[in-house]
Amino acid sequence: MLTRLTAQQEVLIPQIRDKWLKIGLSTAPSDWEKAKEGVRLAYQFVKLEHPLFVTVKSPMSSILAYILVKGQVRVQVRDQVRGQVWSQVWDQVGYQVWDQVRNFCYGQHDAELLSFFDFFKTIGIIKNELDGLFLHAQSSGWWLPYKNIAILTDRPNELYQDQQGRLHNPTSMAIKYRDGWGVYAYHGVRVPEKVILHSKHLTVQEIIEEKNVEIRRVMIELYGLSNFLQDARTIKIATDQWGELYRRDISNDEPLVMVKLVNTTPEKDGTHKNYFHRVPPSTQTPHQALAYIYQTDDYNPQIES
């Protein structure tokens, strides 16, 4: 039965957390010799002979390698030598290689799980049971374990995140491997290549026909909310002294409702610029929209300082 952590043990938590965050997000080239030694230790622990090794540059390449050698591979041992983890990077990459991804051990991307066990090893609760997985995870990426062969994958060489730690790159791949394979993601949403590389050429029709709600929202954001509002035949549903309210129903998603406001400060040429602000679908008037924007039940600019 575990007792309350001591002060010394509590100090270890952020240290181990930072250690495994660095491991999980590393884009350094793999240390193949250490990675192989880690796999040998894992096989030894489950009383299997050391495997032959194949090293590749990405998870996709490892699947191609598996296809080439599968005639020689009969017995999988993944359940004996791997843990379960669901992290942001695993979720994004795994989506594209689903047919084989369930066979993977995730190496550096097992950081979430391995950091947990690393803490308990550090304080003496467990011994050396996971040393092989620890060593491999600190040295390489995903890997496919079989009875006589292990296919080891290099780490990615590029990885981009937003301020919330989600995979994100508005101009190129969010995670890219050394053979050129990777995935595109926008604030944590995996998207097709064209959404990122050809965002300036997106059309309203393409956006409306996109069945995936999250991808469609990304497409609208990249297209521009105000541009989409004007180009998608949006209906004006209300007008009052505060502005105009527009609505566009979207299949399998909440309606797009936006209030059109006029900037009271004139431009250099004397004109007043219009701008749009998205508000909840339940909004019925521009006045309600402004009350939502300014977080007040009774919006009235005359009493603002």
Side-chain angles (χ1 to χ4, degrees), residues 12 15-17 19-20 23 111-124 126 130-131 134 138:
L12 292 172
Q15 295 175 0
I16 293 175
R17 175 200 64 202
K19 167 188 170 181
W20 284 97
I23 292 169
E112 178 183 3
L113 181 69
L114 293 178
S115 63
F116 176 79
F117 289 112
D118 191 12
F119 173 79
F120 286 105
K121 180 182 179 182
T122 303
I123 65 174
I126 63 175
L130 298 177
D131 282 1
F134 288 149
Q138 294 176 72

Side-chain angles (χ1 to χ4, degrees), residues 192-210:
E193 174 184 306
K194 67 176 183 179
V195 173
I196 297 297
L197 297 188
H198 306 290
S199 60
K200 294 182 179 179
H201 302 291
L202 291 173
T203 67
V204 169
Q205 192 63 31
E206 284 180 305
I207 294 172
I208 293 173
E209 291 178 353
E210 173 56 52

Side-chain angles (χ1 to χ4, degrees), residues 226-227 229-230 242-244 246 258-267 271-277:
S226 60
N227 292 333
L229 184 71
Q230 295 177 74
W242 311 106
E244 299 174 346
Y246 293 83
M258 299 185 72
V259 61
K260 177 182 176 181
L261 304 170
V262 179
N263 189 350
T264 57
T265 302
E267 303 294 310
T271 60
H272 292 267
K273 186 177 181 179
N274 295 327
Y275 64 98
F276 295 86
H277 198 295

Side-chain angles (χ1 to χ4, degrees), residues 289-300:
L290 291 174
Y292 167 78
I293 293 170
Y294 292 102
Q295 297 295 300
T296 177
D297 294 331
D298 188 23
Y299 173 77
N300 188 340

